[in-house]
Amino acid sequence: MSQLKRILFYGTDSLSAAVLSQLHQQGYEVRSVTKHPRTPVHKYCTRHGLPVEVFARGAPPFPSNKTQAPELGVVASFGGMIPGSVIRSTKRGFVNVHPSLIPKYKGPAPLPHTLLNGDTDYGITLLEALPRSFDQGKILHQRQLPVPLHMSGGEFWDHTGRLMGETLVGYLNTKPTFQSKQQDLRHASSAPKISAKQMKTVVRVCPHLHTADQIFNISRCADLFKLCPTVSWKDKALKLKGVHLVRDADIVSVLSSRLRPCQFVMHEGTLLLRCAEGTVLGISQIVLPFKDVQSAQHFYRDQCHGKTRRVLEMLYNPRDMGCDEEGVGDALQPS
């Protein structure tokens, strides 16, 4: 452990709780501040007997004498500004643990934007937390990481939480001097919050207009909201689960030449859906309205009535699906 022992921690969600867990397991004396008693951070503190307070604007947390003052502040996915008086009360200021390579994806939702944009790499940034600003401080440390393609959105979220904690603890254990560098604002981008209402629009996809990669990216992002891509078939809204990219060159070549977009075939227990630009999407599970999840094979057998022809059309209404016949419409853009 570093020479720093007493930490004042601000956090809210499960990413925050994963960082808090790492600090606790490494033996740091952590006092936490969270937004309300139902947050994962509050639940973790209660379960492990750690001191925790609910954030009150203008009220200093944990009044104490100078010998008990926190040596360092840490903020991870808190969702609010830390008062300047609180930042100044610590000996080393505050470290912000952010799940992107700052200055890319500043803001409250870097992970949804990472998945939605199909990024192949991302990272963890430790930067100085400043009063009256979000993600504007100097960079203390960065760790570049690959985005695992085999993980669902929820698995990627949990994986990132663990890496955020490991990155912070690893940095603190090196007994850092807190040397920092300015952000290169030429490469800055924002990651605004995506609401559940906005995501319900994003998941309405059109295989005629969206590529398999776009639908796959939407699927992983939607998983963070407990949603999945939806298409229209025979006037029914089908939810697609177990979505994956088909990279087999022979299969993609055959299907892209023989099928039109929105047509699909059954192959080894998986529905292979022809999408835009000659891409192919694999689907292992289907959810029909008011029904449980069923395998793609079960859906094909029951809903396609054992037809001998192998090619079936996945119909869609561009207006109903929020799409434009001429190109990708609002379905890809959070509104």
Side-chain angles (χ1 to χ4, degrees), residues 87-149:
I87 294 176
R88 290 189 295 270
S89 71
T90 63
K91 295 180 180 180
R92 287 287 191 173
F94 262 71
V95 174
N96 178 7
V97 189
H98 189 81
S100 80
L101 293 173
I102 290 289
K104 185 175 183 179
Y105 294 152
K106 295 183 180 185
L111 295 186
H113 287 273
T114 296
L115 295 176
L116 198 57
N117 292 329
D119 292 351
T120 56
D121 57 21
Y122 76 125
I124 312 298
T125 299
L126 306 181
L127 66 158
E128 297 173 348
L130 303 177
R132 298 184 300 279
S133 67
F134 287 110
D135 306 329
Q136 301 297 326
K138 294 181 180 180
I139 295 171
L140 299 167
H141 175 71
Q142 287 190 309
R143 180 183 180 187
Q144 187 168 350
L145 300 159
V147 177
L149 286 177

Side-chain angles (χ1 to χ4, degrees), residues 233 236-239 286-292 294 299 303:
W233 181 75
K236 298 176 183 178
L238 302 185
K239 295 180 179 180
I286 299 285
V287 184
L288 286 164
F290 311 110
K291 292 185 180 291
D292 294 331
Q294 59 184 238
F299 163 80
Q303 299 299 320

